[in-house]
Amino acid sequence: MNVIVKGKNTVVSPALSEYLEKKLVKLTKQFKSVGDVTCLFKVERNNHIVEISFPAGSIMLRAEESTKDMYASIDLALEKIERQIHKYKTRLAKRKYSNFAEPVPEVEEVPEDELVIIKNKRFQLEPMTAEEAILQMNLINHDFFVYFDPDMNNVNVVYKRKDGKYGLIVPELK
């Protein structure tokens, strides 16, 4: 397991990195393989924000927490990941996931007359059902998820509606 630690508006101390790595070792023992763990420490308006994400096996786990203390934020983010693991453990054991979705990129403001693509994201699609796509979307805490449905032989999108239910977009060519 390789831990990538970054700081935004703060300097990450060796003690903080050591604390995170010690906690992560206990958490990641449940998986056969764990990819690179990315951790971003931010300080915004006296809030200490921790974002942790990593692929474990073939799923993506992600958590973000904000408190007045960086150590407390780490603990809460890792607790959130533990709850995700516990919640989906039986479901994940029955299914195979290998769709690593990337976080939605931030969009910079662009003049109205100029549309510019500032970032491209690529990821491999693995066949899965709509239910499996919803589980994966919830694991990475996103509002939508793109997946390949082998039954429909199509790339589809599931999304979370404002009422808490889910929607499905099935594109068709004219």
Side-chain angles (χ1 to χ4, degrees):
M1 170 182 69
N2 187 23
V3 180
I4 301 165
V5 178
K6 299 176 185 177
K8 183 176 180 184
N9 301 331
T10 187
V11 175
V12 181
S13 69
L16 197 61
S17 294
E18 223 173 90
Y19 181 78
L20 172 69
E21 288 183 33
K22 184 177 177 183
K23 294 278 193 167
L24 280 170
V25 167
K26 291 179 184 176
L27 185 68
T28 58
K29 282 184 180 178
Q30 300 180 46
F31 299 99
K32 291 180 183 176
S33 66
V34 175
D36 290 348
V37 178
T38 304
C39 186
L40 176 63
F41 295 105
K42 296 189 286 191
V43 176
E44 294 176 356
R45 296 184 183 139
N46 292 327
N47 286 326
H48 296 255
I49 303 165
V50 175
E51 294 177 17
I52 302 171
S53 62
F54 61 94
S58 59
I59 61 168
M60 179 64 85
L61 297 169
R62 181 182 179 282
E64 178 178 339
E65 282 297 329
S66 174
T67 65
K68 298 293 181 191
D69 176 56
M70 198 63 82
Y71 290 94
S73 295
I74 291 171
D75 291 340
L76 290 173
L78 291 174
E79 284 176 20
K80 188 180 273 189
I81 289 175
E82 282 184 65
R83 286 192 304 272
Q84 289 175 2
I85 292 168
H86 180 71
K87 181 178 179 181
Y88 294 105
K89 194 169 187 177
T90 56
R91 293 179 186 174
L92 295 175
K94 295 177 185 175
R95 297 178 175 90
K96 293 182 180 177
Y97 291 98
S98 59
N99 192 344
F100 297 100
E102 296 292 331
V104 177
E106 294 180 17
V107 179
E108 294 178 13
E109 290 191 28
V110 180
E112 276 187 43
D113 58 340
E114 186 180 334
L115 296 177
V116 178
I117 296 173
I118 58 169
K119 192 167 188 177
N120 279 332
K121 292 277 186 170
R122 291 180 184 256
F123 58 94
Q124 291 187 348
L125 295 176
E126 292 290 329
M128 63 176 64
T129 65
E131 181 185 85
E132 291 171 332
I134 290 170
L135 289 172
Q136 185 68 30
M137 176 182 67
N138 288 335
L139 278 173
I140 61 175
N141 200 22
H142 281 195
D143 296 327
F144 70 94
F145 189 79
V146 180
Y147 70 101
F148 178 78
D149 189 331
D151 296 334
M152 301 175 120
N153 197 28
N154 207 3
V155 174
N156 297 335
V157 178
V158 290
Y159 62 94
K160 192 166 196 167
R161 298 167 39 99
K162 290 181 182 176
D163 62 6
K165 297 180 181 175
Y166 300 99
L168 174 67
I169 298 173
V170 181
E172 294 180 356
L173 293 175
K174 281 189 174 184

